Amino acid sequence: MLNKNVISKLGRILVLGAGGYMGRYYVNSLLQAGIDGKLIIGVDTNASNLREVAAAYPTPIYMEDIQEALRLKPEIALVMVNSPIHQRVIEQCYEAGVRKFFSEKPLVYTLDQLRALDRLNLKNLYTGYLINFSGIVEDLFQFMDEKNLIVVQARSLWGKNWCAVDRPMGGDAEEEMPHSLALILSAIEKNQKIIGVESFARFTYVPYMKPQVTKKAKMLDLGFPEKLNDSSLADFSIRTDRKTINAHILTSFNLYEQQRRVEISFAEHGSNSDFPKFKACLEFDTNGKDLLRIKNARNDEEVLAREFKGNKLQEQLETVLKSFAGENIDLRLVGFEQASRLVRLIQKSIESAN
C-alpha cells in the first residue's frame, strides 16, 4: 500500500479499458494501493463490461465516453485498451493535458504509431513488463554481480494455449515475444554495451482464437491486424562491445500448455573464452510461483535455487505511481525509450520474414 504522502501527489487517475480483462485488475490494484475510489475514473466503451466492473468495485467513477472523463482533469492515465489503439487514446489524453502514462505492453503495434508518440516527447510514460518485478530476476542479477558474469547465449520458450481462452488477442510476435526479449537484453546490458541487433524470424498463422471470439473481435473493430500470427521463431544476433550474442526465442499462442521459460548461459567477465561457467533457468507463473535455478555448467551441480510468490502487478503499479509522485525512478520500470526499442526490434524481425 502507498503512503499518504505519495497518494496526495497523484491526483485523479484514468483507467482506460476499465471493464476489460486487465482493466479490472488495475481498478482493484489501485484500490488495494490505498487510492480513494473517488479519484479513479474508469472508462470503457462496452457498457456491459463497465456495469460488471462497477458492481465489483462500486466506489470509482465510471463513464463510457473518454472525452467526458477527460473533462474531470485526470493527471494520470492507465492505458489498458487493446494495444493497436494505444497511440490514439494516449494522444487524446495528451491533448487534454495528461502527461503521465502507464500502458500494458506492447506500447504500440507499428512503427508509424511509434513515430506519432515520439513527437509528443513523453517523459513520464512507462510500459508494463511484469517479470521485471519478480524476485527471481533480482536474484539472478545479484548472482551475476557476485560472480562477475556476462551473458554469452540465451534461449526462451514462451507462450500458452490461447485456444482455450474466451477473449481476443493480437499477434504472437507483437504480444508475446517482447517478454523474454526484454529480460535477455536487460541481462546483457548489466555489463556489456549493445551496439546493434539483427534478427531473422519465421512465423506461422494457425488459428488460435475460437471462431466465435474472432467473429466478435471483428464486429467490435478492436484494431488488430487482419492477419495475426500464432507462433514466432526468432534468432536475435546481438552485437556488443565484447562479442556477438545469439538469443533464440520461440513464442506461441498454440502451445500444449503455458510455458514461460528463459535460459541464459554465462561466462566470466574478462575471460576470452565463451565456454559457459554457469547456466540459469528462469520459469515464470508456474503453479503460482516464479522459479530460478542456477547450475555450474561444467559439472551440472546446482548452486542456487530461488522461488518468488509475490504480486508482481501490484508492485509494478505502486512503483509506477511512486515515480509519478516524484520519487526516484525504479530501474525495473520500462520507460518510453526501452519500450520503443522493443517495438522496433519486433517489427524488424517481422520485416525479416517478409
Side-chain angles (χ1 to χ4, degrees):
M1 180 175 285
L2 297 172
N3 65 51
K4 292 181 180 179
N5 183 51
V6 169
I7 293 173
S8 68
K9 298 176 182 179
L10 295 176
R12 282 181 163 160
I13 301 173
L14 187 65
V15 183
L16 298 162
Y21 180 79
M22 292 304 299
R24 299 181 193 204
Y25 279 114
Y26 278 97
V27 170
N28 179 47
S29 294
L30 287 169
L31 295 170
Q32 293 297 317
I35 306 296
D36 186 338
K38 297 182 181 64
L39 297 176
I40 302 169
I41 310 165
V43 177
D44 202 299
T45 56
N46 187 312
S48 176
N49 287 350
L50 202 60
R51 285 193 296 269
E52 288 179 9
V53 72
Y57 311 109
T59 54
I61 302 165
Y62 294 100
M63 298 179 175
E64 294 179 43
D65 188 333
I66 184 174
Q67 294 300 333
E68 182 181 356
L70 288 170
R71 283 193 280 272
L72 296 178
K73 303 295 182 183
E75 295 186 23
I76 297 167
L78 307 186
V79 183
M80 302 298 130
V81 296
N82 295 306
S83 304
I85 59 175
H86 281 181
Q87 175 223 337
R88 187 173 75 203
V89 298
I90 288 172
E91 286 181 330
Q92 286 178 291
C93 292
Y94 188 89
E95 290 171 4
V98 180
R99 293 295 182 270
K100 298 173 182 178
F101 296 91
F102 175 73
S103 81
E104 269 294 293
K105 64 89 206 142
L107 174 58
V108 291
Y109 251 57
T110 70
L111 294 178
D112 285 342
Q113 292 172 343
L114 189 60
R115 282 188 282 267
L117 289 186
D118 198 28
R119 289 193 287 269
L120 300 181
N121 192 25
L122 296 165
K123 297 179 179 179
N124 272 307
L125 181 147
Y126 300 106
T127 302
Y129 281 88
L130 275 183
I131 61 175
N132 284 7
F133 289 83
S134 173
I136 67 168
V137 175
E138 184 177 352
D139 291 335
L140 175 70
F141 287 174
Q142 182 177 341
F143 185 85
M144 290 178 65
D145 288 338
E146 291 173 355
K147 302 295 184 180
N148 194 27
L149 302 177
I150 57 171
V151 176
V152 293
Q153 192 181 57
R155 298 155 297 281
S156 177
L157 173 61
W158 195 286
K160 65 185 298 184
N161 174 30
W162 204 258
C163 302
V165 181
D166 289 321
R167 69 183 181 97
M169 177 52 68
D172 168 79
E174 293 90 347
E175 300 281 349
E176 285 294 271
M177 199 184 296
H179 288 286
S180 49
L181 179 59
L183 174 58
I184 291 166
L185 293 174
S186 294
I188 291 171
E189 290 183 315
K190 280 282 293 175
N191 45 30
Q192 297 181 77
K193 181 180 179 181
I194 294 177
I195 298 171
V197 181
E198 300 296 328
S199 62
F200 175 78
R202 294 179 63 186
F203 306 102
T204 60
Y205 295 86
V206 175
Y208 56 95
M209 283 189 287
K210 296 178 181 179
Q212 64 270 28
V213 175
T214 302
K215 183 178 179 180
K216 182 179 179 181
K218 288 182 178 179
M219 289 176 57
L220 293 174
D221 190 19
L222 300 178
F224 293 118
E226 183 69 23
K227 190 178 182 183
L228 298 172
N229 84 298
D230 75 293
S231 299
S232 312
L233 179 61
D235 179 13
F236 289 92
S237 182
I238 304 163
R239 289 184 291 110
T240 75
D241 53 353
R242 179 182 176 273
K243 286 187 177 180
T244 296
I245 300 166
N246 288 318
H248 311 288
I249 300 178
L250 169 62
T251 60
S252 179
F253 284 138
N254 264 323
L255 290 186
Y256 175 82
E257 60 188 2
Q258 179 170 290
Q259 294 280 330
R260 293 179 173 175
R261 178 182 178 118
V262 179
E263 296 182 3
I264 304 177
S265 299
F266 299 98
E268 192 166 16
H269 196 26
S271 169
N272 291 324
S273 172
D274 282 350
F275 191 88
K277 186 171 184 179
F278 295 99
K279 293 186 178 182
C281 175
L282 302 96
E283 296 176 282
F284 297 92
D285 304 313
T286 301
N287 297 321
K289 298 180 291 188
D290 298 342
L291 305 173
L292 168 65
R293 290 172 293 149
I294 301 178
K295 69 179 181 179
N296 186 314
R298 304 178 188 191
N299 61 19
D300 260 354
E301 178 185 351
E302 187 170 86
V303 296
L304 184 71
R306 294 283 190 272
E307 68 175 48
F308 175 78
K309 296 182 180 179
N311 187 332
K312 298 189 287 285
L313 189 148
Q314 188 72 36
E315 185 173 358
Q316 178 178 246
L317 176 62
E318 293 187 13
T319 301
V320 168
L321 295 177
K322 288 176 184 177
S323 174
F324 289 157
E327 294 196 0
N328 290 335
I329 297 174
D330 193 304
L331 294 178
R332 294 174 296 176
L333 293 174
V334 175
F336 182 78
E337 290 303 319
Q338 290 172 285
S340 298
R341 178 173 70 169
L342 289 164
V343 173
R344 291 190 186 98
L345 290 176
I346 298 301
Q347 288 301 312
K348 191 174 182 180
S349 72
I350 292 173
E351 290 173 4
S352 76
N354 294 331

